Amino acid sequence: MTEITNLGVTETLEGLNKKEFSSEEVTKEYLEIIKNEKDLNAYIHYNAEKSLSLAKLSDERRAKNKALPLEGLPIAVKDIFCVEGERTSACSKILENFIPSYESTVTSKLWQAGGVYIGKTSMDEFAMGSSNETSYFGSVINPWSKSEEKLVPGGSSGGSASAVAARLAPIALGTDTGGSIRQPASFCGTVGIKPTYGRCSRWGIIAFASSLDQAGPLTRSVADSALILQNMAGFDNLDSTSVNIKVPNFLDSCSKSIKGMKIGIPKEYKINELSPEVEKIWDEGIKWIQDAGAEIIDVKLPHTKYALPTYYIVAPAEASANLARYDGVKYGFRKEDTQGLEEMYSQTRAEGFGKEVKRRILIGTYVLSAGYYDAYYLRAQKVRTKIVEDFNSAFSNCDAILTPTAPSGAFKIGEKNIDPITMYMNDIFTVPASLAGLPAMSIPAGLDSNRCPLGLQLIGKGFDEETLFSIGTIIEKSANFKSI
Amino acid sequence: MSLDKSTLERVAYLARIKIEDSEIENITAELNNIMKWIEELNEVDVENTKPMTGVSNESLRERKDEVNDGGYSDKIVSNAPEKIDNSFTVPKVIE
Amino acid sequence: MREAIKLKGETGTWEMVIGLEIHAQVNCKSKLFSGSATDFGASPNSQVSFVDAAMPGMLPVINNEAVNQAIKTGHALNAKINNTSIFDRKNYFYPDLPQGYQISQFKSPIVGEGWINIDLGKGDIKKIGIERLHLEQDAGKLMHDQHPRLSFVDLNRSGIPLMEIVSKPDMRDWEEAGAYLRKLRSIVRYIGSCDGNMDQGSLRCDANISVRRPGEEFGTRCELKNINSVKFMMKAVEYEAYRQIEIIENGGVVKQETRLYDPSKNETRSMRSKEEAHDYRYFPDPDLLPLNISNERIEKYKNELPELPDQKRERFQQDYGLSFYDADVLTADKSYADFFEIVSEERDAKFVANWIITNFFAMLNEVEKSIEESPVNAMQLGELFDLIQDGTISGRTAKDVFEEMFTKGGSAKDIVESKGLKQISNTDELESMAKKIIEDNSEQVSKYKNGNEKLFGWFVGQMMKNTGGTANPKVVNEILKTLLNE
């Protein structure tokens, strides 16, 4: 028997179904390896007792032939999802000891499908970062790091990506605002999908930028992502931006032919910063898709270069309001012994938020303030419309768009966190789809010269994740990527 | 448009984030750098473009007027850094 | 046409320019964006959901009824209902604002321009423009008197739906402002979109006021807050107008600011704590999509609109033949009008109107009770009127019977019976009584016959005295006239 923790979602569920092992055994194995691999710092918190008792309940259901679709499967959760009774901090000091009395819709759906909570994974504070270095609980290590140099796992769902890659979980939940699932998936050699905006409920997920945030899975295979997304997605009355549209069978899409499909290649993504290795992988990806019978066409996305600056207005603006609730009054950190209310506010927030979060709140406040709103925020929302129009016209000619996920592979811890813009450039390929609310997936496609993973990104039409799963499966097969 | 120190102080006040005098210069420079980069957007012709207000084209969904929530003041204040009975407390506000 | 009050200053006359912003709590069971209750007076934080407390990850979902009520109110204000409106975040920090922003409507409100007529007495009517109506969340409540060092925060009010109704600066004195506020309160009560209760804060009023010399441009305005009755609003406006005039006449400049009205001192004072220039950084709330309202929905509520005060007043004048004044008083509140219509059914409407206004309302006023709290209901009052109209009791006696009904209870009939207040209309009985009085007082009779006609009243008085006031005055008059003029 292979080690349980080497199994993906589908294999684990198969083993559970065949009674090769129990959920309790699976859960124990994961808890053991999580403990042994503490140095990765992928998890910030877990509750062995709770997980084991959930696993036992799951085994009981299975024994009664009442097994649910994900029965007994351990699931790691990014610390941005509120899990009832479990500390949920978004890896910020300001929420260090926050324990929600409610459960996010997405996690709740997964528990109702039989999933077993295994722990909370680290992330960039409030999901603001591309390297997981802004977590209040310290940097997370990319399991692909060689012993001499520690690499970042990407961000903001760095803990989730690292955990899945290092086999500390068969699947981990992430959220993606500008690339926070796809970029760490690329850096750690996992699959990660950001579904269409409105596909998964945002209720109970700590908000960063409300018009961009979406939940999605990080897994070791495309089919695993399909199965998990199937159980996460769906209409939610509690989220006004949730869209009431049927969730198709994503797993079926994984075995569909892509023959005759048109795949668009945008030349605007061939930027100067693109590393030759990434460009090479991109070319290979194009070939794989062609070999599978799809047609490659050129598409134009002329406003691509403006996506990142647009994002750095829209996201901080929304964040500046979303994070105003962390004021030391209702929950979370409060600076003690301050003089009066104003000092309580400003010192609580100065101390409770990390540097990057404060930077973005300040930018967001500035671009919305009197005299600057039109020049920055309003203009950005107009450019955002242009970006949407770009995609609309591109998708009138093609079924999906293929690009690299990130301009490079994983970098060293500390290498890029000196200059914010250098760090922001990491999301240059992932941000456009976020701004347009489109589904996008990163699939591991090869290695760079450091022997670190590189991912390819597929962008689909709104609510057409199915095409991404079909093409993603082809890339996965052709790349024959060997995980750690 | 450049972001000067007094603008930063005003923005920091609006955001209720205390900035130490020693940090002002660095942060001003840093934010200016970012804003300069962002100003690339001025190249785009948006004359006849409408701003985006929502990702989806749907209309706002409305819920029925029913009381089906609340009634758990203990849970509301359970995470409060300071509370007395079921009220949050803050340093006295002078109106 | 009524002339607006002008104020005399040291250097000449001044005119006031007033606009009102009214916050009306929308009559809904649950909050604007959550399912917690909106009842008044619950224990701290007991009517608070995770959404209202702005817990991390919580999202707003709008209350359908609040939207409907806003549409109805818009119609009642003769206003345009917008097919698309947008919810914005208004950003500021305050402990009663858990999200750190209020969800409101800024650039695209649900209701646009409209107007209402206000009544200035003697049939004078003035049209006041409405700038807009928008929906927004209420904030929580801070209590400062519970602790020497701390303020307490109760979020029960947090998220309660409010309609902010903004008038144009069309009012020129406090009487007009008072009439506007009363009319608006009457309208929202008529259509049931707000209970109009100013004591409990379900209707709150901010006044914008500036002064100018007649014919000049608008001056700098101040916003007056914390006004919780029509009377205080009028007083606040008066105080503030004089304050501004004094500043200008002494060579100063009025500063645009928010001022708090203190009813105990009858003065306004600057709210220093809120003086730092606000910058609310409004932007569309990304948690909410644009609110689209179809023309069908707009029309539906237009058609369902009940009779409004102006229409009712006109109908009362036409159908019941009431004077403008009586009709106006009786339609000022829907409860008055309903009461009147029940009582006046198959009775003399003019008489009923007059009696309700002069006697019934006076009594309610005296004991500070609303019409709903009146111990005498419409049916009971109607019975009393029947006794007057069929001659069982006199109008004079009716007042005493009413007082008894009001203070001690019981039906009019029972009181009349038990106290023997039944009017004597029996002509024979009264005639023999009159003859006896004439016989016994020959001196008075001759004086009367010699031209002292005032003495007629003396004879009536004697008749009343003998009957303990129960004689039918009409019959008494007739009999005495016949006998004395023989």
Side-chain angles (χ1 to χ4, degrees):
Chain A
M1 192 180 88
T2 36
E3 256 186 78
I4 289 174
T5 54
N6 274 334
L7 304 176
V9 171
T10 317
E11 296 94 345
T12 307
L13 288 172
E14 247 174 49
L16 285 163
N17 280 337
K18 290 184 188 156
K19 308 223 160 53
E20 287 170 17
F21 38 75
S22 68
S23 176
E24 192 182 351
E25 284 169 303
V26 176
T27 306
K28 265 188 188 153
E29 291 273 327
Y30 276 109
L31 289 169
E32 185 65 22
I33 188 168
I34 289 168
K35 209 160 72 184
N36 293 342
E37 296 288 343
K38 252 195 168 135
D39 291 349
L40 287 178
N41 206 21
Y43 284 82
I44 56 155
H45 173 71
Y46 60 92
N47 182 343
E49 206 181 319
K50 177 175 174 171
S51 296
L52 286 171
S53 79
L54 288 169
K56 275 182 209 162
L57 285 174
S58 166
D59 287 333
E60 282 167 24
R61 282 195 298 271
R62 188 180 292 281
K64 289 182 196 152
N65 283 325
K66 284 182 178 163
L68 297 158
L70 302 178
E71 195 61 78
L73 180 76
I75 295 174
V77 179
K78 185 179 181 180
D79 195 33
I80 202 165
F81 293 84
C82 289
V83 173
E84 191 176 347
E86 293 298 308
R87 198 178 69 180
T88 300
S89 72
C91 286
S92 178
K93 178 179 179 177
I94 212 154
L95 276 179
E96 192 178 352
N97 295 309
F98 177 68
I99 298 173
S101 310
Y102 48 91
E103 183 79 41
S104 85
T105 300
V106 162
T107 48
S108 160
K109 280 172 98 93
L110 290 172
W111 313 147
Q112 273 160 29
V116 171
Y117 166 78
I118 190 92
K120 283 294 189 75
T121 57
S122 184
M123 57 186 277
D124 280 297
E125 183 184 0
F126 282 106
M128 296 179 189
S130 309
S131 65
N132 219 110
E133 290 167 291
T134 72
S135 168
Y136 177 61
F137 303 103
S139 291
V140 173
I141 291 162
N142 188 327
W144 291 80
S145 306
K146 318 297 173 284
S147 52
E148 67 277 15
E149 50 169 30
K150 299 288 180 229
L151 302 176
V152 302
S156 67
S157 310
S160 287
S162 175
V164 170
R167 286 161 170 67
L168 310 186
I171 171 264
L173 293 182
T175 56
D176 189 315
T177 304
S180 280
I181 289 174
R182 292 161 285 163
Q183 184 255 19
S186 176
F187 278 20
C188 292
T190 74
V191 174
I193 179 166
K194 176 199 94 74
T196 312
Y197 184 84
R199 179 68 96 181
C200 290
S201 169
R202 294 185 296 112
W203 196 88
I205 299 172
I206 296 175
F208 161 16
S210 310
S211 76
L212 298 154
D213 298 343
Q214 263 295 297
L218 289 105
T219 61
R220 290 196 294 273
S221 80
V222 174
D224 285 0
S225 274
L227 183 59
I228 299 296
L229 184 60
Q230 187 82 48
N231 286 284
M232 293 167 68
F235 175 64
D236 183 6
N237 259 324
L238 300 177
D239 174 359
S240 297
T241 61
S242 165
V243 178
N244 196 351
I245 187 170
K246 197 173 167 285
V247 180
N249 189 321
F250 293 134
L251 210 49
D252 283 357
S253 318
C254 294
S255 49
K256 272 195 189 132
S257 160
I258 65 164
K259 212 170 196 151
M261 276 190 189
K262 286 182 181 169
I263 315 299
I265 307 297
K267 69 169 186 321
E268 292 83 0
Y269 281 58
K270 289 189 178 152
I271 54 164
N272 293 336
E273 291 86 349
L274 192 62
S275 84
E277 301 151 1
V278 174
E279 196 167 350
K280 197 176 134 247
I281 295 281
W282 192 9
D283 287 339
E284 278 183 46
I286 292 170
K287 211 177 128 276
W288 297 331
I289 290 171
Q290 270 175 325
D291 290 348
E295 186 189 337
I296 298 295
I297 62 160
D298 286 330
V299 291
K300 283 197 192 96
L301 296 170
H303 294 90
T304 298
K305 71 178 272 206
Y306 303 111
L308 209 50
T310 298
Y311 176 84
Y312 275 95
I313 290 177
V314 174
E318 293 182 13
S320 72
N322 281 333
L323 272 60
R325 65 191 57 198
Y326 309 108
D327 58 2
V329 176
K330 304 157 301 277
Y331 41 74
F333 171 73
R334 173 190 289 193
K335 176 78 175 166
E336 308 235 343
D337 301 323
T338 51
Q339 288 300 307
L341 181 72
E342 289 298 331
E343 282 294 304
M344 189 278 278
Y345 278 152
S346 64
Q347 291 189 39
T348 293
R349 290 166 59 80
E351 208 169 296
F353 290 131
K355 204 174 171 191
E356 180 62 25
V357 171
K358 285 191 273 191
R359 184 183 287 141
R360 296 202 198 183
I361 292 175
L362 292 173
I363 293 173
T365 306
Y366 176 60
V367 298
L368 289 174
S369 65
Y372 301 99
Y373 181 92
D374 287 0
Y376 291 120
Y377 181 78
L378 195 65
R379 171 167 280 267
Q381 288 291 40
K382 288 177 178 173
V383 178
R384 195 173 173 188
T385 301
K386 291 268 187 192
I387 290 163
V388 173
E389 288 167 358
D390 278 2
F391 277 113
N392 285 345
S393 82
F395 279 122
S396 64
N397 298 315
C398 69
D399 300 292
I401 290 167
L402 180 74
T403 76
T405 306
S408 73
F411 46 87
K412 279 179 271 180
I413 288 176
E415 185 183 327
K416 290 194 180 181
N417 61 3
I418 297 130
D419 171 40
I421 298 174
T422 311
M423 185 66 88
Y424 298 166
M425 293 307 281
N426 267 291
D427 296 328
I428 192 156
F429 298 149
T430 47
V431 152
S434 298
L435 288 171
L438 300 173
M441 173 158 60
S442 178
I443 309 107
L447 299 174
D448 65 10
S449 53
N450 289 329
R451 306 209 51 75
C452 277
L454 294 172
L456 286 175
Q457 174 181 234
L458 285 164
I459 304 170
K461 297 174 183 172
F463 294 100
D464 183 22
E465 289 85 358
E466 291 164 279
T467 299
L468 303 188
F469 285 119
S470 304
I471 308 170
T473 307
I474 300 295
I475 294 176
E476 182 175 52
K477 277 182 191 152
S478 317
N480 194 21
F481 180 83
K482 295 278 179 294
S483 48
I484 306 179
Chain B
M1 260 178 275
S2 95
L3 198 159
D4 56 21
K5 283 183 200 171
S6 72
T7 309
L8 175 67
E9 280 168 358
R10 183 173 156 66
V11 167
Y13 167 72
L14 287 173
R16 298 298 189 281
I17 293 174
K18 192 180 183 79
I19 295 181
E20 300 299 334
D21 291 345
S22 58
E23 302 171 303
I24 290 182
E25 202 152 328
N26 270 340
I27 297 176
T28 308
E30 210 172 70
L31 294 190
N32 254 318
N33 231 357
I34 296 169
M35 295 318 295
K36 214 183 289 162
W37 166 65
I38 284 175
E39 272 163 25
E40 221 178 290
L41 293 184
N42 292 340
E43 297 166 10
V44 186
D45 175 15
V46 289
E47 188 88 11
N48 297 311
T49 310
K50 277 192 180 162
M52 189 150 157
T53 43
V55 178
S56 86
N57 297 320
E58 306 208 349
S59 174
L60 187 59
R61 205 170 44 246
E62 299 169 34
R63 52 160 242 283
K64 263 197 193 159
D65 181 27
E66 287 170 344
V67 177
N68 53 20
D69 209 346
Y72 41 73
S73 45
D74 51 330
K75 286 183 181 173
I76 292 298
V77 299
S78 66
N79 280 287
E82 250 193 79
K83 63 184 169 189
I84 293 179
D85 298 326
N86 280 331
S87 290
F88 303 103
T89 59
V90 293
K92 194 151 200 130
V93 182
I94 305 121
E95 279 184 331
Chain C
M1 194 66 201
R2 177 184 177 272
E3 279 276 327
I5 300 166
K6 302 257 191 318
L7 301 178
K8 290 252 183 305
E10 301 269 311
T11 59
T13 44
W14 294 85
E15 186 174 83
M16 293 161 264
V17 176
I18 304 158
L20 297 184
E21 285 173 23
I22 286 163
H23 287 91
Q25 177 176 337
V26 186
N27 203 350
C28 282
K29 294 198 264 303
S30 63
K31 292 189 177 172
L32 185 54
F33 294 111
S34 86
S36 52
T38 55
D39 302 333
F40 180 76
S43 66
N45 290 313
S46 63
Q47 292 183 164
V48 179
S49 69
F50 296 127
V51 177
D52 308 321
M55 291 285 173
M58 292 299 95
L59 298 171
V61 184
I62 198 166
N63 183 338
N64 166 269
E65 183 62 13
V67 176
N68 292 340
Q69 296 284 24
I71 297 172
K72 274 200 250 176
T73 311
H75 283 312
L77 303 178
N78 306 295
K80 183 178 183 299
I81 315 297
N82 290 321
N83 288 114
T84 301
S85 66
I86 290 172
F87 287 95
D88 296 285
R89 293 183 179 178
K90 178 182 181 179
N91 297 285
Y92 65 95
F93 284 86
Y94 209 60
D96 65 7
L97 189 72
Q99 291 165 144
Y101 55 84
Q102 177 195 33
I103 305 178
S104 181
Q105 298 189 296
F106 184 51
K107 278 188 190 154
S108 313
I110 182 166
V111 175
E113 291 186 323
W115 55 268
I116 60 170
N117 279 331
I118 60 167
D119 312 319
L120 300 168
K122 296 186 189 140
D124 271 353
I125 283 174
K126 183 173 174 181
K127 195 174 187 172
I128 303 292
I130 303 286
E131 181 69 38
R132 59 187 281 159
L133 175 156
H134 69 251
L135 283 168
E136 64 182 27
Q137 301 173 296
D138 203 351
K141 207 172 119 192
L142 277 179
M143 284 153 294
H144 309 294
D145 49 4
Q146 321 255 326
H147 193 281
R149 194 172 52 75
L150 300 169
S151 294
F152 283 43
V153 187
D154 171 16
L155 299 178
N156 279 344
R157 286 198 68 92
S158 166
I160 280 184
L162 299 179
M163 295 181 282
E164 180 172 328
I165 303 167
V166 183
S167 83
K168 298 204 181 232
D170 285 354
M171 288 153 274
R172 291 290 171 271
D173 65 20
W174 52 82
E175 293 292 341
E176 292 182 9
Y180 171 83
L181 181 51
R182 281 192 300 266
K183 188 58 169 283
L184 203 88
R185 185 173 58 182
S186 165
I187 290 172
V188 293
R189 279 181 175 163
Y190 261 71
I191 59 171
S193 64
C194 168
D195 69 20
N197 195 328
M198 292 190 81
D199 306 337
Q200 293 180 359
S202 28
L203 195 78
R204 303 191 291 259
C205 173
D206 298 340
N208 283 303
I209 162 160
S210 62
V211 295
R212 64 173 177 187
R213 296 189 187 278
E216 284 185 356
E217 296 280 296
F218 289 173
T220 306
R221 66 191 162 90
C222 290
E223 187 181 0
L224 310 182
K225 287 199 179 281
N226 195 35
I227 298 169
N228 56 15
S229 80
V230 178
K231 198 175 88 191
F232 287 149
M233 187 273 288
M234 293 168 71
K235 286 190 154 194
V237 165
E238 182 178 3
Y239 171 87
E240 178 62 17
Y242 279 114
R243 188 190 72 88
Q244 292 184 10
I245 290 168
E246 199 182 314
I247 290 174
I248 302 170
E249 292 196 327
N250 289 328
V253 180
V254 175
K255 205 169 102 194
Q256 181 163 352
E257 62 179 356
T258 303
R259 299 181 67 83
L260 200 72
Y261 177 65
D262 183 342
S264 63
K265 294 181 185 154
N266 187 33
E267 61 176 35
T268 66
R269 64 169 186 272
S270 182
M271 292 175 79
R272 279 201 192 79
S273 61
K274 295 204 171 180
E275 230 170 70
E276 303 98 355
H278 274 306
D279 182 348
Y280 291 126
R281 291 158 284 137
Y282 285 99
F283 74 104
D285 190 332
D287 285 332
L288 296 161
L289 305 167
L291 173 65
N292 294 332
I293 303 173
S294 68
N295 286 332
E296 292 74 45
R297 187 170 174 194
I298 293 173
E299 281 307 305
K300 176 178 178 277
Y301 286 102
K302 190 166 198 171
N303 297 334
E304 286 176 10
L305 213 59
E307 190 181 36
L308 292 170
D310 288 351
Q311 299 160 337
K312 209 182 269 286
R313 187 195 60 225
E314 279 164 29
R315 180 166 65 81
F316 278 19
Q317 287 181 265
Q318 263 170 25
D319 293 5
Y320 298 116
L322 303 188
S323 68
F324 178 92
Y325 175 81
D326 284 2
D328 197 39
V329 172
L330 288 173
T331 54
D333 196 290
K334 190 165 177 294
S335 60
Y336 302 172
D338 290 346
F339 191 92
F340 164 76
E341 292 211 274
I342 296 171
V343 183
S344 67
E345 204 181 334
E346 292 181 27
R347 296 193 180 97
D348 179 350
K350 277 186 184 171
F351 172 80
V352 170
N354 197 301
W355 214 95
I356 288 178
I357 293 169
T358 43
N359 300 312
F360 181 61
F361 285 173
M363 187 67 101
L364 285 178
N365 253 337
E366 206 179 301
V367 297
E368 291 179 349
K369 278 192 167 148
S370 74
I371 205 158
E372 289 88 355
E373 298 161 335
S374 166
V376 176
N377 66 28
M379 297 296 282
Q380 292 165 325
L381 196 63
E383 282 167 20
L384 176 67
F385 292 163
D386 290 342
L387 296 181
I388 304 173
Q389 282 184 350
D390 69 12
T392 308
I393 54 172
S394 68
R396 176 71 203 82
T397 309
K399 283 177 199 165
D400 299 336
V401 176
F402 171 64
E403 206 173 313
E404 178 90 11
M405 289 164 76
F406 201 94
T407 50
K408 295 186 183 144
S411 80
K413 258 186 194 151
D414 293 347
I415 294 169
V416 169
E417 287 283 333
S418 66
K419 299 215 158 182
L421 298 173
K422 212 167 182 173
Q423 181 168 253
I424 304 170
S425 305
N426 185 319
T427 322
D428 293 346
E429 192 182 329
L430 290 175
E431 205 173 293
S432 59
M433 191 186 291
K435 279 179 179 158
K436 185 152 190 303
I437 290 171
I438 289 171
E439 266 173 41
D440 295 351
N441 296 284
S442 52
E443 200 182 324
Q444 309 283 13
V445 174
S446 59
K447 273 186 189 166
Y448 173 77
K449 289 196 169 167
N450 285 333
N452 190 350
E453 286 185 12
K454 276 185 194 159
L455 274 172
F456 188 78
W458 182 86
F459 287 101
V460 175
Q462 292 303 306
M463 290 289 284
M464 288 300 173
K465 201 173 155 193
N466 284 356
T467 57
T470 59
N472 184 331
K474 216 171 134 195
V475 180
V476 168
N477 274 337
E478 277 165 16
I479 291 171
L480 282 173
K481 230 171 240 170
T482 323
L483 292 176
L484 284 169
N485 296 336
E486 265 171 3

